[in-house]
Amino acid sequence: MDLITLLALNAALVLAAVLLLWLASIPLRDISIIDMAFASILAAVTGFSLWLSPEKGPLQWLLLAAVLAWALRMSAHLVRRNWGHGEDPRYSRLRDWVDNDRAFTWLSLRQVFLLQGVVIWLVSLPVQVGMLAPAGSGIGWLAIGGAALWLAGLACETVADIQLTRFRADPSRRGTVLDTGLWRYSRHPNYFGELCVWWGIFLIACEAPWGALTIIGPLAYSHLVINVTGQRTLDKKMAREKPGYRDYMAATSGLVPWPPRRRA
């Protein structure tokens, strides 16, 4: 199994998965099912890459364990949060871009499903390359450091999601800003944890030859989370909708947890 073949086969796997989800979204009238399936597709790419790998040493099993543990937690969280609540409003607003359902069907394929497929393939690059590490590739200091960063990130996003879920479930806090727990030190500790997970996986993959070249994966994911679909977009939305959020932004770190500044 050479690298180019593995990358091509995984691209085909991801394409098949997002096309099936796209077809399912048409009768369901819910394109947000791609969000609930995001982690599962990444787990499938990881398992498929291990199955195709001629070597199955400690490095490969460490990568598999890291991705599966993350995917199980992420999938459980997203399904519990989204199941039965209909289409995410972010996606529903896309329906206003076109005049009819047929046009929206093709728009959703281009703007959501195929784009998510590209993101999944890019994010999984370190895992794909790491799975082709030659025999004798053990757990070195890079992998140990990566595993520590992964564990810290997983813990951070888990705690942040629990705190946010409890906050949203409290009717007395409706319309207010979550600024306690991890959210006192970062406006987006869940995003910070998510990026730590994938930068940690990248460091683990750096034990393999050519692993360092897969830095495009975590770089692209960081750009999307910070500048496109995550931090900046959510900050703008929250600043419009919640009184006091601008003061919270002025006092609190955007991503990396840091002691808050004194508010005016």
Side-chain angles (χ1 to χ4, degrees), residues 59-60 62-63 124-134 137-147 149 197-219:
L59 188 66
Q60 284 87 350
L62 177 60
L63 286 168
S124 66
L125 278 177
V127 175
Q128 296 184 61
V129 172
M131 287 300 182
L132 291 184
S137 297
I139 306 299
W141 287 109
L142 277 174
I144 292 172
L149 181 60
V197 163
W198 286 99
W199 279 101
I201 289 173
F202 163 71
L203 288 177
I204 296 172
C206 282
E207 295 283 1
W210 308 106
L213 297 181
T214 65
I215 194 172
I216 186 177
L219 281 176

Side-chain angles (χ1 to χ4, degrees), residues 7 16 28 57 183 198 229 254 263:
L7 295 176
L28 291 173
W183 301 82
W198 286 99
T229 63
R263 301 192 187 189

Side-chain angles (χ1 to χ4, degrees), residues 67 78 222:
V67 175
L78 292 177
S222 297

Side-chain angles (χ1 to χ4, degrees), residues 36-83:
M36 290 185 281
F38 183 88
S40 297
I41 300 174
L42 270 165
V45 169
T46 303
F48 186 55
S49 298
L50 179 65
W51 181 63
L52 292 174
S53 173
E55 303 295 337
K56 296 174 177 60
L59 188 66
Q60 284 87 350
W61 290 112
L62 177 60
L63 286 168
L64 178 70
V67 175
L68 288 185
W70 166 83
L72 285 171
R73 191 214 74 86
M74 182 63 74
S75 296
H77 170 68
L78 292 177
V79 170
R80 184 168 56 248
R81 188 188 71 181
N82 297 341
W83 190 264

